[in-house]
Amino acid sequence: MLRVQLKSKIHLARVTDANLNYEGSITIPEDLMKAVDLWPGERVLVVCPTNGARLETYAQPGPAGSGAIIMNGAAARLIATDDRITLMAFGQAEEPILAKRVVCNEHNEIIKTDLGVQKVSVPHSTISF
């Protein structure tokens, strides 16, 4: 059975521009795309913790090293310049996929890389019912 799994993740990238008049997509520097194995035209899920927006679009390569993350088209109405976002792409496989993940700083430089999806530790809840 094929299972849909996380394969690529860029966490806490900062949107540097929003271009409402472009036909669509999100522009991502080629070096970031390469770091997480994203292809030009690949579908990505974009999540914005700033305002709760979630949308799907496709990745478009921008100049490597530029740090330019640009929301294009209608998505520019949902996610604005300076918003922090997480971009994810998924793959299908019968075996587990070792996801390529990076965390960015405010200049969209990679500050951390990781492989796979780690187990999360959940703090003990103090909420009583």
Side-chain angles (χ1 to χ4, degrees), residues 13-18 48 50 69 79-85 106:
R14 185 179 63 84
V15 176
T16 59
D17 197 6
C48 180
T50 307
I69 302 277
I79 299 174
T81 301
D82 289 326
D83 282 351
R84 298 303 286 259
I85 59 172
E106 64 276 1

Side-chain angles (χ1 to χ4, degrees), residues 3-10 45 86-92 96-101 116-118:
R3 296 178 186 217
V4 178
Q5 307 169 58
L6 179 70
K7 69 168 259 323
S8 307
K9 182 176 181 180
I10 301 171
L45 172 64
T86 296
L87 299 101
M88 294 169 277
F90 300 85
Q92 295 182 350
I97 294 173
L98 196 58
K100 294 182 178 180
R101 302 182 301 133
V117 177
Q118 277 40 16

Side-chain angles (χ1 to χ4, degrees), residues 13-86:
R14 185 179 63 84
V15 176
T16 59
D17 197 6
N19 184 352
L20 185 61
N21 295 316
Y22 189 80
E23 65 187 53
S25 77
I26 183 169
T27 303
I28 306 166
E30 278 186 299
D31 54 327
L32 285 180
M33 289 180 64
K34 187 174 185 178
V36 297
D37 191 29
L38 273 179
W39 292 355
E42 188 169 353
R43 181 172 62 185
V44 292
L45 172 64
V46 184
V47 179
C48 180
T50 307
N51 63 23
R54 298 174 70 90
L55 62 94
E56 286 187 344
T57 188
Y58 62 93
Q60 174 179 315
S66 68
I69 302 277
I70 305 169
M71 294 305 309
N72 296 310
R77 292 205 183 273
L78 299 175
I79 299 174
T81 301
D82 289 326
D83 282 351
R84 298 303 286 259
I85 59 172
T86 296

